[in-house]
């Protein structure tokens, strides 16, 4: 049942984002930034953590979850290092996700030979 819940929650998040892309003139990059910032704000307010525990991977995998990870990393680093943690917390928390995206993106480019759009 956890898989079904994660699939449905992730699907609803993606459908809402698709509606946002279709009904507004926002560029995809701005929508991605909006999702990450929304995840940070919801994490700071304390809403996202209970939602993520309930929804599982459906809430932690999309960009909203990445924003929440950045927030949690910053919060922990600020508690440990004070003001300096503001600058290093997000990098520490998001390092694994960003590194894996870069590595797998590079490997995919080697396998599939990407072409520029015209």
């Amino acid at each position: 049942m956890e898989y079904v819940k994660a699939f449905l929650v992730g699907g609803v998040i993606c459908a809402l984002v698709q509606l946002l892309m279709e009904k507004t003139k926002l560029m995809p990059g701005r929508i991605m930034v909006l999702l990450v910032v929304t995840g940070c704000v919801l994490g700071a307010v304390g809403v996202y953590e209970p939602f993520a525990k309930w929804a599982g991977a459906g809430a932690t995998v999309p960009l909203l979850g990445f924003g929440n990870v950045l927030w949690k990393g910053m919060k922990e680093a600020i508690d440990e290092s004070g003001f300096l943690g503001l600058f290093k917390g997000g990098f520490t928390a998001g390092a694994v996700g960003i590194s894996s995206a870069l590595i797998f993106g590079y490997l995919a480019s080697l396998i599939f030979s990407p072409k520029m759009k015209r």
Side-chain angles (χ1 to χ4, degrees):
M1 193 63 183
E2 286 184 39
Y3 295 121
V4 173
K5 191 185 326 179
F7 177 77
L8 290 175
V9 171
V12 167
I13 290 171
C14 290
L16 291 174
V17 171
Q18 188 66 39
L19 282 172
L20 187 64
M21 289 176 71
E22 298 290 329
K23 300 296 181 185
T24 67
K25 293 184 179 187
L26 291 172
M27 299 300 290
R30 291 185 179 186
I31 292 174
M32 291 188 329
V33 169
L34 181 68
L35 289 170
V36 172
V37 170
T38 302
C40 286
V41 170
L42 290 175
V45 174
V47 175
Y48 203 80
E49 193 65 34
F51 174 64
K53 284 184 181 176
W54 175 78
T60 58
V61 171
L63 281 175
L64 289 169
F66 181 68
N68 187 46
V69 165
L70 292 177
W71 161 252
K72 287 193 309 188
M74 284 178 50
K75 182 181 171 195
E76 290 173 8
I78 289 170
D79 290 342
E80 291 175 7
S81 304
F83 182 72
L84 189 61
L86 182 66
F87 301 103
K88 70 176 189 173
F91 290 116
T92 305
V96 173
I98 294 169
S99 298
S100 63
L102 288 171
I103 291 167
F104 288 119
Y106 178 71
L107 292 175
S109 74
L110 291 176
I111 294 169
F112 295 107
S113 118
K115 296 173 184 71
M116 296 297 293
K117 286 187 176 183
R118 293 183 183 195

